[in-house]
Amino acid sequence: MINIAVIGTGYVGLVSGACLADFGNMVTCIDNNSEKIDILQRGEIPIYEPGLDLIVERNTKAGRLHFTTDFEAAVTANNVLFIAVGTPPADDGSADLRYVKEVARKIGQVIESYTVVVDKSTVPVGTARKVYGWIKDELLIRGKDIPFDVVSNPEFLREGSAVQDFTHPDRVVIGLENERSRKIMKDIYRSLYLNETPFIETNLESAEMIKYASNSFLALKITFINEIANLCEKVGANVQDVAKAVGRDGRIGSKFLHPGPGYGGSCFPKDTQAMAQIGKDYGEHLSLVETTIEANKRQKIRMIEKIESGMGRHGSLSGKTIAILGLAFKQNTDDMRESPAILICEGLASKGAKLKVWDPAAMKEALWRFESIKDYVYFARDEYDAIENADALVILTPWNQFRNLDLPRIKKLLALPYFFDLRNIYKRNEIEEIGLIYFAIGK
Ligand code: UGA
């Protein structure tokens, strides 16, 4: 059994800590936010993530999972330290490493025996070596020659299915430099090794690059199908049939070929920006990544234009009421970071439209996100409250409960017959049959 401390109980840290405990390791999750640790110690979960509560409860009860604010005690008592602190974007789009650096230095200030330091946060290529240097500097100041290794072990967790992604990964990527740390990493992930999960062992830089390359490619794939969808609309093709057939080619694959209002979230926007910046730092122009970033922004703006031109027969957007279903950047999360809903709602409000918004999980975040347009926003109680007397209905997030709306009731509730299905979750004929005007993406 390995003793692990996970530093940072944000999204990645908490999911990783709980799942590592579920693999049979002894895990202590550390955070300097005492409020968060209090919540976790009470057995509550500070984030919305399906299944996480059960896994936290199970492992806390079994005595394998603990929470603390005491950094020094937890770091010295555990010989494997996962760094899972935030790497927010700096002004130039690069990842801000301030928290990683602070943690690395503090580790160097307190460790007393051999330690493996694992980078779990998404960090620019070269960071693991910097972490090594920061820890070494502190040890030199202390005049201590304590051995330690740095390992890069990027996460590939999707919000909403993070527990499943951690416990049943497509692959585990480990960047390391020697046998000693390799053996420990293998013990930590023993249950996955036994499950025959593919393990990709490589050097530190490759592991760091794999994370950015994966996220950039997925962002590019979505953006590609969004552009194809836009063209499909013009030429009379149906993007869903196109994506289905294209995706059947095993070299392409069917996942992440669903067009929509543009990707959002805390990862793709941030990581594509950081990737482009890493390219610049090394004198490489990553033109596809840069174009992806631009095209994704255009896609969001295009949605505002789509709604405006779609309703054109009834004049401008000024004074119109629009029901927005879905504010989170995707389903099964309460997260609105970089959600297309933000830019789209702001754009509609700036054109004088009144908004009636509803999301099954993100209403709390929407309250402060929409502070600047609050005079234009009504926070609804459910989907039908949002739709009542609205002139148009716009679906922005493909929550399951939006896939099965009571269509005749919607027809009665809407003042004008506009139905914008910006996630392609309905069929044209089922909407047109009840007398509504249907708009989708790419069909
Ligand atoms: C993403 C990656 O999928 C994870 O593998 C990665 O670990 C994570 O970032 C991270 O870096 O931590 P996540 O941001 O949770 O995960 O969400 P995704 O499910 O990838 O969706 C991202 C955005 O793309 C959402 O706005 C979603 O609606 C959009 N999307 C996704 C599409 O518009 N079309 C698709 O076909 C797929």
Side-chain angles (χ1 to χ4, degrees), residues 11-12 122 155-160 165 171 211 215 218 222 225-226 255-268 271 329-331 340 398 423:
Y11 192 81
V12 171
T122 300
E155 53 83 17
F156 301 97
L157 311 176
R158 284 164 303 171
E159 287 187 28
D165 287 348
R171 77 303 205 187
K211 174 62 197 258
N215 272 3
L218 290 170
I222 299 167
I225 203 66
N226 282 342
K255 292 180 182 161
F256 278 67
L257 282 182
H258 302 288
Y263 61 77
S266 65
C267 305
F268 290 171
D271 293 352
F329 79 97
K330 62 173 190 178
Q331 68 276 35
R423 291 287 188 164

Side-chain angles (χ1 to χ4, degrees), residues 416-435:
L416 291 177
Y418 293 103
F419 192 108
F420 292 90
D421 173 13
L422 302 186
R423 291 287 188 164
N424 287 356
I425 55 179
Y426 283 91
K427 293 202 170 76
R428 175 176 297 283
N429 57 0
E430 62 184 333
I431 302 302
E432 289 181 348
E433 258 165 30
I434 55 156

Side-chain angles (χ1 to χ4, degrees), residues 1-2 4 6 14-29 55-56 58-60 62-66 166 188:
M1 193 202 299
I2 305 277
I4 300 171
V6 179
L14 186 55
V15 173
S16 304
C19 292
L20 287 169
D22 215 47
F23 290 167
N25 301 292
M26 284 291 280
V27 178
T28 305
C29 291
I55 216 160
V56 168
R58 179 162 73 224
N59 288 283
T60 312
R64 285 191 300 265
L65 183 61
H66 301 92
F166 199 100
I188 290 172

Side-chain angles (χ1 to χ4, degrees), residues 160-278:
S161 49
V163 171
Q164 170 73 11
D165 287 348
F166 199 100
T167 51
H168 299 81
D170 287 341
R171 77 303 205 187
V172 174
V173 173
I174 304 185
L176 40 67
E177 300 206 288
N178 58 33
E179 193 51 37
R180 193 173 183 181
S181 54
R182 180 173 182 272
K183 200 182 158 307
I184 290 178
M185 292 309 289
K186 212 171 164 177
D187 279 348
I188 290 172
Y189 286 113
R190 202 178 125 75
S191 50
L192 293 183
Y193 267 102
L194 297 176
N195 276 345
E196 296 184 11
T197 301
F199 273 70
I200 289 139
E201 281 176 17
T202 181
N203 65 11
L204 296 170
E205 287 75 12
S206 306
E208 292 168 333
M209 183 59 104
I210 287 165
K211 174 62 197 258
Y212 279 111
S214 299
N215 272 3
S216 297
F217 188 79
L218 290 170
L220 188 148
K221 202 172 170 189
I222 299 167
T223 305
F224 179 80
I225 203 66
N226 282 342
E227 290 201 337
I228 296 296
N230 297 339
L231 184 57
C232 282
E233 285 175 18
K234 298 268 164 72
V235 302
N238 180 331
V239 73
Q240 282 179 306
D241 293 343
V242 173
K244 201 169 169 187
V246 169
R248 292 296 290 189
D249 184 327
R251 294 167 301 176
I252 297 173
S254 59
K255 292 180 182 161
F256 278 67
L257 282 182
H258 302 288
Y263 61 77
S266 65
C267 305
F268 290 171
K270 174 168 79 74
D271 293 352
T272 44
Q273 291 275 3
M275 182 74 163
Q277 189 57 40
I278 295 168

Side-chain angles (χ1 to χ4, degrees), residues 12-68:
V12 171
L14 186 55
V15 173
S16 304
C19 292
L20 287 169
D22 215 47
F23 290 167
N25 301 292
M26 284 291 280
V27 178
T28 305
C29 291
I30 314 171
D31 206 291
N32 53 14
N33 181 337
S34 55
E35 228 173 283
K36 212 188 248 181
I37 293 298
D38 282 348
I39 292 174
L40 287 161
Q41 281 173 342
R42 283 202 304 271
E44 293 161 27
I45 308 291
I47 54 169
Y48 177 89
E49 182 60 37
L52 185 58
D53 48 353
L54 293 180
I55 216 160
V56 168
E57 189 188 345
R58 179 162 73 224
N59 288 283
T60 312
K61 274 198 184 137
R64 285 191 300 265
L65 183 61
H66 301 92
F67 301 99
T68 183

